Amino acid sequence: MLFMVQMTVKKPHDIDPAVWADIIAREREYGQKFMKNGKFPHIWRVVGKFSNVSIFDVESTDELHQILSNFPLFPYMEMEVTALAKHPSALN
Amino acid sequence: MLFMVQMTVKKPHDIDPAVWADIIAREREYGQKFMKNGKFPHIWRVVGKFSNVSIFDVESTDELHQILSNFPLFPYMEMEVTALAKHPSALN
Amino acid sequence: MLFMVQMTVKKPHDIDPAVWADIIAREREYGQKFMKNGKFPHIWRVVGKFSNVSIFDVESTDELHQILSNFPLFPYMEMEVTALAKHPSALN
Amino acid sequence: MLFMVQMTVKKPHDIDPAVWADIIAREREYGQKFMKNGKFPHIWRVVGKFSNVSIFDVESTDELHQILSNFPLFPYMEMEVTALAKHPSALN
Amino acid sequence: MLFMVQMTVKKPHDIDPAVWADIIAREREYGQKFMKNGKFPHIWRVVGKFSNVSIFDVESTDELHQILSNFPLFPYMEMEVTALAKHPSALN
Amino acid sequence: MLFMVQMTVKKPHDIDPAVWADIIAREREYGQKFMKNGKFPHIWRVVGKFSNVSIFDVESTDELHQILSNFPLFPYMEMEVTALAKHPSALN
Amino acid sequence: MLFMVQMTVKKPHDIDPAVWADIIAREREYGQKFMKNGKFPHIWRVVGKFSNVSIFDVESTDELHQILSNFPLFPYMEMEVTALAKHPSALN
Amino acid sequence: MLFMVQMTVKKPHDIDPAVWADIIAREREYGQKFMKNGKFPHIWRVVGKFSNVSIFDVESTDELHQILSNFPLFPYMEMEVTALAKHPSALN
Amino acid sequence: MLFMVQMTVKKPHDIDPAVWADIIAREREYGQKFMKNGKFPHIWRVVGKFSNVSIFDVESTDELHQILSNFPLFPYMEMEVTALAKHPSALN
Amino acid sequence: MLFMVQMTVKKPHDIDPAVWADIIAREREYGQKFMKNGKFPHIWRVVGKFSNVSIFDVESTDELHQILSNFPLFPYMEMEVTALAKHPSALN
């Protein structure tokens, strides 16, 4: 079951650079875990913004919130979640 | 080169049903042409709306506008176009 | 799996009253079918508006879109769909 | 008499973690008091956000404001309050 | 129990003047009924707009929706409903 | 001559509690002075928000700005001012 | 006492040209009456829009609404009214 | 002196195709007159929309409004006008 | 050539009062220089806000930006600039 | 291939002036590099704002994001990216 999640990161200007670098590293490791197990099939960078467009494939809304709210960057992110269904024109 | 295009159809209430059915049929045929040649790899229905989230893979912005503006439904659609780039966390 | 759906009806001023009355009747009958089978546990009227707040309990986003897009009033409605998860404070 | 209240928490980045943990604990205890006495029948987590959708059943608007404004998290929350009425299609 | 209701009338350009005049007349008569029985203590015209700011004093949200949705102008109005409570500084 | 003023207070998280308490006390005293002399006939709390809906009765826009801009809370408030006129349906 | 009124005209596409021309002519005549008696000291065209920025100098909000609501174009206009006061830096 | 003008065309669905085709032809001819005389140095199509981004080089705001308001498509267009100045980093 | 500029000041809560007082003083002196030389014919205070509506009469957009960006309060202000032209109904 | 990028700088009030001056200097040097190599043909200052309208001519969206995200001011900027195509009326 698919959801689009548009994430925008709002980095506090006065955050300690070392703290931030650690969060970013853990964020990538955490995300790639779900990319490898098929829960997180797509992620694209939005040009010109600290934002992405992501597609998640999950079993339930609870599972999706579990994944999203445990992103290390979650406290610094604004997320828009859009429920997706199969399009009548889609070939796959 | 990837673009997300979010399309919302605004169907006039007083349009002739036969005319509309013909437009919908031509729309599907037109779109699937590009799905088959790789220009239009993804399309998902937004739950609860006459809208979709589409991903296009094109060579230029002119080519993208050429494809989009010739959709039979184009005069009845509002489109938001978002330029996408490779995300540093993406595995593929 | 729960979703909140906020529906607002935009009634065309020049629609035939008999046609509209028929749509409303079919709408109620259609909705109550899902209320009885547990898919549609809550619906409340928003005071002062031709709108409602509804809670749906479904197995997938495709099922939700199937239900929503077949409401007789669907062509006259704007819908906002919000995916819900269990709240850590909830008792039930 | 029912009201929907959509609450979004805006956590200051530089708040003392111990202070925040205490507020969260008191918030849960305070909310569950009203869940038990029937004033607060529903609360759901909005997927991807530090937000909830809540339904309150109160005797007056003054009582509702009394409950809401005494939530420990109140100073850190934005609330949208929507007055609800019985929907003509509702079975219960 | 008080509610502010901000009403804006959207008059269709092509409506029959006689029909409209009749609606306006019934609207005034209907509203003044509630002004006389205390349910509708205040109504002011918003300068420069076909809008008003109204204060209603009702027993429940259901009663408020009953009053509002039976205004003859209801199908042509957009309403914003704000629940009000006693202000700590208020003298009365 | 009537104006509606909708005030929303944005309290800085890091302000000294004693300083804030003093501002609140002076704010109430200042407001009640105008309530007593008829310039400030109505104030209601907006349920769920640190906001109010106020009605002022003044001789000029300069007088209104004089009153509003000298509220002790003024630097922490966002105000929307709406000019009101007599409504044709109003009984009083 | 000064007010800024920003007016935007929304001309229906299907209105009879002769009817429209008559409204425009009466609109100019009506407005210039108040320009001559000092109630309407300024009017400027907003570049690129069928809009204007106007300054009115009136005795009361009731008088302002009386003037505005009797503009022949009133049914086709959206107006934003802003109450103005003397600026501390103003020389005149 | 430069201005950016972002124009969006809102084509009425029920307009006579021949009438519309004539307007489009006159629009192109009218615009190219100013492109040739240097008043209208840039025009680009916004991908996915019946919109453009245009740059005008004029002597005054009155001249700009004169040009814009006489576009044959003007009654069907929404325009956002942005005054531009030389950027400190610009090389030309 | 006329422009309307709507300025809103966003005063940081934690700024040194003496620093702020100095900026305000320099702001008034700077603005009045242009009021005296005719570049800045009108300024009005927006009731209830730390905002103003100003009219500038300049030779070019570059001159306008030069004036605006050198206001001492510029770093603390949000400005909306509207290009104005002569209105067909204007008498002067 | 052309893109419009509208950039708005949000300067933190409490940033060290020397740090800021250095960023600005590097920003200009960085931008002019691309102006000279044809990737960045246009940049204009938006009157009254710390914003610009820029036109980029790039080979891909990835290249555009690479350029934009490495602007020294990037962490302090909000960017709107608009994909542009050749306009049918354009002469060049």
Side-chain angles (χ1 to χ4, degrees), chain B residues 65 74-76 79-81, chain H residues 10 13 45-50:
Chain B
H65 186 68
F74 184 72
Y76 307 98
M79 294 185 176
E80 288 307 320
V81 173
Chain H
K10 306 266 183 181
H13 287 305
R45 171 63 80 217
V46 173
V47 172
K49 293 184 190 289
F50 199 166

Side-chain angles (χ1 to χ4, degrees), chain I residues 1 4 12 25 28 35 38 43-44 54 59-60 65 68 82 85:
Chain I
M1 181 174 53
M4 172 170 73
R28 182 167 300 174
M35 292 177 196
I43 182 169
W44 299 288
S54 295
E59 297 306 310
S60 73
H65 185 68
L68 296 179
T82 306

Side-chain angles (χ1 to χ4, degrees), chain I residues 7-22:
Chain I
M7 308 182 198
T8 296
V9 177
K10 305 268 183 181
K11 179 186 173 187
H13 288 303
D14 51 8
I15 196 164
D16 177 336
V19 168
W20 187 255
D22 171 61

Side-chain angles (χ1 to χ4, degrees), chain A residues 13 45-50, chain J residues 65 74-76 79-81:
Chain A
H13 288 304
R45 172 63 79 216
V46 173
V47 172
K49 295 183 189 291
F50 198 166
Chain J
H65 186 68
F74 184 73
Y76 306 99
M79 294 184 176
E80 289 307 319
V81 174

